[in-house]
Short mmCIF file of all heavy atoms in Angstrom, two decimals:
data_model
loop_
_atom_site.label_atom_id
_atom_site.label_comp_id
_atom_site.label_asym_id
_atom_site.label_seq_id
_atom_site.Cartn_x
_atom_site.Cartn_y
_atom_site.Cartn_z
N ASP U 34 -15.64 35.89 -88.52
CA ASP U 34 -14.73 34.87 -89.06
C ASP U 34 -15.27 33.46 -88.85
O ASP U 34 -14.66 32.48 -89.26
CB ASP U 34 -13.31 35.02 -88.49
CG ASP U 34 -13.29 35.18 -86.98
OD1 ASP U 34 -14.36 35.08 -86.35
OD2 ASP U 34 -12.19 35.39 -86.42
N THR U 35 -16.44 33.35 -88.22
CA THR U 35 -17.09 32.03 -88.08
C THR U 35 -17.80 31.63 -89.37
O THR U 35 -18.30 30.51 -89.49
CB THR U 35 -18.14 32.04 -86.95
OG1 THR U 35 -19.05 33.11 -87.20
CG2 THR U 35 -17.50 32.24 -85.60
N PRO U 83 -17.44 20.65 -78.74
CA PRO U 83 -18.15 21.19 -79.90
C PRO U 83 -18.01 22.70 -80.07
O PRO U 83 -17.98 23.19 -81.20
CB PRO U 83 -19.62 20.81 -79.66
CG PRO U 83 -19.70 20.13 -78.36
CD PRO U 83 -18.33 19.96 -77.79
N THR U 84 -17.94 23.45 -78.97
CA THR U 84 -17.91 24.91 -79.09
C THR U 84 -16.95 25.56 -78.10
O THR U 84 -16.58 24.96 -77.08
CB THR U 84 -19.30 25.53 -78.80
OG1 THR U 84 -19.63 25.25 -77.43
CG2 THR U 84 -20.39 24.97 -79.70
N GLY U 85 -16.62 26.81 -78.39
CA GLY U 85 -15.79 27.59 -77.49
C GLY U 85 -16.49 27.86 -76.17
O GLY U 85 -15.86 27.87 -75.11
N VAL U 86 -17.78 28.08 -76.23
CA VAL U 86 -18.53 28.29 -74.99
C VAL U 86 -18.39 27.06 -74.09
O VAL U 86 -18.13 27.18 -72.88
CB VAL U 86 -20.03 28.58 -75.27
CG1 VAL U 86 -20.84 28.53 -73.99
CG2 VAL U 86 -20.20 29.94 -75.96
N MET U 87 -18.52 25.87 -74.68
CA MET U 87 -18.39 24.68 -73.85
C MET U 87 -16.98 24.58 -73.26
O MET U 87 -16.81 24.24 -72.09
CB MET U 87 -18.76 23.39 -74.59
CG MET U 87 -18.91 22.24 -73.59
SD MET U 87 -19.14 20.60 -74.28
CE MET U 87 -20.84 20.63 -74.80
N ASN U 89 -14.95 27.02 -72.43
CA ASN U 89 -14.87 27.95 -71.30
C ASN U 89 -15.63 27.44 -70.09
O ASN U 89 -15.15 27.50 -68.97
CB ASN U 89 -15.43 29.32 -71.70
CG ASN U 89 -14.49 30.10 -72.61
OD1 ASN U 89 -13.28 29.88 -72.60
ND2 ASN U 89 -15.05 31.00 -73.41
N SER U 109 -15.82 40.89 -71.62
CA SER U 109 -15.45 39.54 -72.06
C SER U 109 -16.61 38.77 -72.68
O SER U 109 -17.79 39.02 -72.39
CB SER U 109 -14.88 38.73 -70.89
OG SER U 109 -15.86 38.56 -69.89
N HIS U 110 -16.26 37.84 -73.53
CA HIS U 110 -17.23 36.92 -74.14
C HIS U 110 -17.94 36.11 -73.06
O HIS U 110 -19.15 35.93 -73.10
CB HIS U 110 -16.48 35.99 -75.10
CG HIS U 110 -17.37 35.21 -76.03
ND1 HIS U 110 -18.02 34.06 -75.65
CD2 HIS U 110 -17.72 35.42 -77.33
CE1 HIS U 110 -18.72 33.60 -76.69
NE2 HIS U 110 -18.56 34.40 -77.70
N ILE U 111 -17.18 35.67 -72.06
CA ILE U 111 -17.76 34.85 -70.99
C ILE U 111 -18.88 35.62 -70.29
O ILE U 111 -19.93 35.07 -69.97
CB ILE U 111 -16.68 34.40 -69.98
CG1 ILE U 111 -15.72 33.40 -70.64
CG2 ILE U 111 -17.31 33.81 -68.71
CD1 ILE U 111 -14.55 32.97 -69.76
N TYR U 114 -21.68 36.87 -73.74
CA TYR U 114 -22.27 36.03 -74.79
C TYR U 114 -22.41 34.56 -74.41
O TYR U 114 -22.50 33.71 -75.29
CB TYR U 114 -21.40 36.11 -76.06
CG TYR U 114 -21.22 37.51 -76.63
CD1 TYR U 114 -19.95 38.03 -76.84
CD2 TYR U 114 -22.33 38.30 -76.97
CE1 TYR U 114 -19.77 39.30 -77.38
CE2 TYR U 114 -22.15 39.56 -77.50
CZ TYR U 114 -20.88 40.06 -77.71
OH TYR U 114 -20.70 41.31 -78.24
N GLU U 115 -22.36 34.25 -73.12
CA GLU U 115 -22.43 32.83 -72.77
C GLU U 115 -23.63 32.54 -71.88
O GLU U 115 -23.60 31.63 -71.03
CB GLU U 115 -21.08 32.35 -72.21
CG GLU U 115 -19.96 32.65 -73.21
CD GLU U 115 -18.64 31.88 -73.03
OE1 GLU U 115 -18.55 31.01 -72.15
OE2 GLU U 115 -17.71 32.18 -73.81
N GLU U 162 -9.05 36.98 -71.97
CA GLU U 162 -9.49 36.68 -73.34
C GLU U 162 -8.41 37.08 -74.36
O GLU U 162 -7.92 38.20 -74.34
CB GLU U 162 -10.79 37.44 -73.60
CG GLU U 162 -11.48 37.10 -74.90
CD GLU U 162 -12.87 37.73 -74.97
OE1 GLU U 162 -13.66 37.63 -73.98
OE2 GLU U 162 -13.19 38.35 -75.98
N GLN U 163 -8.11 36.15 -75.28
CA GLN U 163 -7.02 36.38 -76.24
C GLN U 163 -7.40 35.88 -77.63
O GLN U 163 -7.64 34.69 -77.77
CB GLN U 163 -5.78 35.62 -75.72
CG GLN U 163 -4.56 35.73 -76.57
CD GLN U 163 -3.82 37.05 -76.42
OE1 GLN U 163 -4.35 38.08 -76.81
NE2 GLN U 163 -2.62 37.01 -75.87
N THR U 164 -7.44 36.70 -78.68
CA THR U 164 -7.45 38.14 -78.65
C THR U 164 -8.78 38.60 -78.03
O THR U 164 -9.71 37.80 -77.91
CB THR U 164 -7.36 38.73 -80.08
OG1 THR U 164 -8.52 38.36 -80.83
CG2 THR U 164 -6.13 38.20 -80.82
N HIS U 165 -8.87 39.88 -77.69
CA HIS U 165 -10.10 40.34 -77.06
C HIS U 165 -11.11 40.80 -78.11
O HIS U 165 -10.88 41.78 -78.81
CB HIS U 165 -9.81 41.46 -76.06
CG HIS U 165 -10.92 41.62 -75.08
ND1 HIS U 165 -12.17 42.05 -75.45
CD2 HIS U 165 -11.00 41.35 -73.76
CE1 HIS U 165 -12.96 42.07 -74.39
NE2 HIS U 165 -12.27 41.65 -73.35
N ASN U 166 -12.22 40.08 -78.16
CA ASN U 166 -13.24 40.27 -79.19
C ASN U 166 -13.85 41.68 -79.14
O ASN U 166 -13.72 42.47 -80.09
CB ASN U 166 -14.29 39.17 -79.00
CG ASN U 166 -15.38 39.17 -80.06
OD1 ASN U 166 -15.54 40.12 -80.81
ND2 ASN U 166 -16.13 38.09 -80.11
N ARG U 167 -14.51 42.00 -78.04
CA ARG U 167 -15.25 43.28 -77.98
C ARG U 167 -14.35 44.51 -77.95
O ARG U 167 -14.81 45.63 -78.21
CB ARG U 167 -16.22 43.28 -76.80
CG ARG U 167 -17.54 42.57 -77.13
CD ARG U 167 -18.39 42.32 -75.91
NE ARG U 167 -18.93 43.51 -75.29
CZ ARG U 167 -20.16 43.99 -75.51
NH1 ARG U 167 -20.96 43.37 -76.38
NH2 ARG U 167 -20.60 45.05 -74.88
N ASP U 195 -9.57 32.37 -72.35
CA ASP U 195 -10.50 32.17 -73.46
C ASP U 195 -9.73 32.56 -74.73
O ASP U 195 -9.72 33.72 -75.13
CB ASP U 195 -11.74 33.05 -73.27
CG ASP U 195 -12.69 32.99 -74.46
OD1 ASP U 195 -12.37 32.27 -75.44
OD2 ASP U 195 -13.74 33.65 -74.42
N GLY U 196 -9.09 31.56 -75.30
CA GLY U 196 -8.23 31.81 -76.46
C GLY U 196 -8.92 31.49 -77.76
O GLY U 196 -8.32 30.90 -78.66
N ALA U 197 -10.19 31.90 -77.89
CA ALA U 197 -10.93 31.63 -79.13
C ALA U 197 -10.09 32.04 -80.34
O ALA U 197 -10.01 31.30 -81.32
CB ALA U 197 -12.25 32.39 -79.11
N ARG U 198 -9.47 33.23 -80.26
CA ARG U 198 -8.62 33.71 -81.37
C ARG U 198 -7.16 33.83 -80.96
O ARG U 198 -6.44 34.68 -81.45
CB ARG U 198 -9.15 35.06 -81.87
CG ARG U 198 -10.51 34.99 -82.52
CD ARG U 198 -10.88 36.29 -83.24
NE ARG U 198 -12.22 36.19 -83.80
CZ ARG U 198 -13.34 36.39 -83.11
NH1 ARG U 198 -13.27 36.70 -81.82
NH2 ARG U 198 -14.52 36.26 -83.69
N SER U 221 -8.99 27.61 -73.79
CA SER U 221 -9.96 27.10 -74.75
C SER U 221 -9.68 27.78 -76.08
O SER U 221 -9.60 29.01 -76.14
CB SER U 221 -11.38 27.42 -74.26
OG SER U 221 -12.31 27.14 -75.28
N CYS U 223 -10.49 28.02 -80.38
CA CYS U 223 -11.49 27.70 -81.42
C CYS U 223 -10.81 27.24 -82.71
O CYS U 223 -9.84 27.84 -83.16
CB CYS U 223 -12.34 28.93 -81.74
SG CYS U 223 -13.61 29.25 -80.52
N SER U 225 -13.05 26.86 -85.26
CA SER U 225 -14.13 27.21 -86.18
C SER U 225 -14.17 28.68 -86.55
O SER U 225 -15.09 29.14 -87.20
CB SER U 225 -15.46 26.83 -85.52
OG SER U 225 -15.56 27.48 -84.27
N LYS U 226 -13.17 29.45 -86.12
CA LYS U 226 -13.15 30.88 -86.49
C LYS U 226 -12.18 31.05 -87.66
O LYS U 226 -12.36 30.44 -88.70
CB LYS U 226 -12.80 31.70 -85.27
CG LYS U 226 -13.91 31.54 -84.24
CD LYS U 226 -14.08 32.71 -83.34
CE LYS U 226 -15.44 32.59 -82.68
NZ LYS U 226 -15.45 33.09 -81.31
N GLY U 233 -15.93 23.11 -83.80
CA GLY U 233 -14.99 22.56 -82.84
C GLY U 233 -14.08 23.53 -82.14
O GLY U 233 -13.65 24.54 -82.71
N SER U 234 -13.83 23.23 -80.87
CA SER U 234 -12.87 23.94 -80.04
C SER U 234 -12.11 22.89 -79.25
O SER U 234 -12.51 21.73 -79.21
CB SER U 234 -13.60 24.89 -79.09
OG SER U 234 -14.01 26.06 -79.76
N ARG U 345 -19.09 46.46 -86.90
CA ARG U 345 -17.95 45.57 -86.69
C ARG U 345 -17.68 44.76 -87.95
O ARG U 345 -18.62 44.26 -88.59
CB ARG U 345 -18.25 44.62 -85.53
CG ARG U 345 -17.03 43.81 -85.10
CD ARG U 345 -17.39 42.81 -84.02
NE ARG U 345 -17.91 41.59 -84.63
CZ ARG U 345 -17.65 40.36 -84.20
NH1 ARG U 345 -16.90 40.18 -83.13
NH2 ARG U 345 -18.17 39.31 -84.81
C1 PLP V 12 -16.42 32.85 -80.61
C2 PLP V 12 -15.89 33.04 -79.25
C3 PLP V 12 -16.05 32.05 -78.26
C4 PLP V 12 -16.76 30.74 -78.48
O1 PLP V 12 -17.81 30.75 -79.30
P1 PLP V 12 -18.57 29.45 -79.84
O2 PLP V 12 -19.50 30.03 -80.79
O3 PLP V 12 -19.20 28.80 -78.66
O4 PLP V 12 -17.55 28.54 -80.46
C5 PLP V 12 -15.51 32.29 -77.04
N1 PLP V 12 -14.82 33.41 -76.78
C6 PLP V 12 -14.63 34.37 -77.69
C7 PLP V 12 -13.83 35.57 -77.36
C8 PLP V 12 -15.17 34.22 -78.96
O5 PLP V 12 -14.98 35.19 -79.87
#
Side-chain angles (χ1 to χ4, degrees):
D34 48 5
T35 54
T84 64
V86 169
M87 193 188 283
N89 285 335
S109 63
H110 193 279
I111 291 176
Y114 302 125
E115 305 198 4
E162 188 170 313
Q163 180 77 293
T164 64
H165 200 293
N166 184 346
R167 277 168 68 96
D195 175 359
R198 294 191 182 82
S221 170
C223 282
S225 57
K226 296 209 163 145
S234 282
R345 189 185 85 141

